[in-house]
């Protein structure tokens, strides 16, 4: 099979043209520019077979990041597997807010609850090496992916196993961040996200359970003046603000994501 035929096969399956090109470039270990300049070259049978499988999976909705095994987040290349949510650009807003609150050089203690691939904790540690980062997840499989990312990137993070605050008994932080599951259990968007771990996307019910639990348990884990910053759904800002105000937080405010949706809400203890 020629490269040109392989790219045509993507078209026939309805796979996005750029995805098709990048998937084949990844298989060949070449750049996209190389690929387009060599479209008469023949693929080995093994590459052609593997690429056909990639195309079929992409056409079935498997995220591109799972097929190539990595995703860029806040300037870092992270390994991702189906055990973790694919990091979203929207979550960079949470990281940027955290970095504004962390003066460079300050030895702050920062926690990331439900770290998944480790994206948030790793991005903060990368930008603020003096901070000490603790990242939790209830999924041992996710923690293994996050620990592998930390090792590859040479970033020192403490990983703890357990849900929300439970592995952090008796510990206090200067800043706590979380992108918990927040999609409502009956939200039709979940159908399009079926290849990602459901438990990382939705706490079921109205989508607010994880956010409620994080806010409710926060006080004993935050130093006076510490901030808690939470990612949430586009229609949950008011509810999360009410949770934070109700739990006694001050300076409660919301920031928008790159698409202009209210996406992160934080408050100060
Ligand atoms: N932002 C993700 C999405 O809507 C959901 C992530 C989450 O639930 N934390 O695809």
């Amino acid at each position: 099979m020629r490269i040109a035929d392989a790219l045509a096969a993507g078209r026939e399956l309805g796979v996005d043209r750029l995805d098709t090109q990048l998937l084949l470039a990844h298989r060949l270990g070449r750049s996209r520019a190389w690929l387009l300049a060599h479209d008469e070259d023949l693929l080995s049978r093994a590459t052609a077979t593997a690429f056909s499988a990639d195309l079929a999976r992409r056409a079935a909705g498997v995220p591109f990041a799972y097929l190539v095994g990595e995703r860029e987040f806040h300037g870092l290349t992270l390994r991702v597997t189906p055990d973790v949510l694919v990091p979203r650009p929207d979550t960079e807003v949470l990281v940027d807010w955290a970095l504004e609150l962390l003066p460079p050089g300050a030895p702050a203690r920062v926690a990331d609850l439900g770290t998944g691939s480790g994206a948030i904790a790793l991005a903060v540690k990368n930008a603020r090496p003096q901070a000490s980062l603790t990242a939790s997840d209830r999924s041992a499989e996710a923690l293994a992916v996050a620990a592998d990312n930390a090792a590859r990137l040479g970033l020192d993070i403490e990983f703890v196993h357990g849900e929300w605050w439970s592995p952090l008994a008796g510990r206090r932080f200067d800043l706590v961040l979380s992108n918990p599951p927040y999609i409502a259990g009956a939200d039709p968007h979940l159908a399009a996200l079926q290849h990602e771990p459901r438990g990382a996307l939705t706490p079921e019910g109205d989508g607010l359970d994880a956010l409620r639990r994080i806010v409710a348990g926060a006080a004993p884990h935050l130093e006076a003046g510490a901030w808690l910053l939470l990612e949430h759904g586009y229609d949950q800002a008011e509810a999360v603000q009410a949770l934070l105000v109700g739990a006694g937080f001050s300076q409660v405010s919301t920031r928008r994501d790159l698409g202009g949706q209210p996406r992160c809400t934080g408050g100060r203890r």
Side-chain angles (χ1 to χ4, degrees), residues 90 93-94 97 230-232 253-256 262-266:
D90 291 341
V93 171
L94 189 74
W97 193 352
L230 301 165
E231 183 173 325
H232 53 70
S253 58
T254 294
R255 294 199 178 184
R256 291 177 187 272
R263 184 61 64 189
C264 299
T265 295

Side-chain angles (χ1 to χ4, degrees), residues 12 31 73 116 211 233 246:
E12 273 155 36
S31 70
F73 180 80
L211 289 156

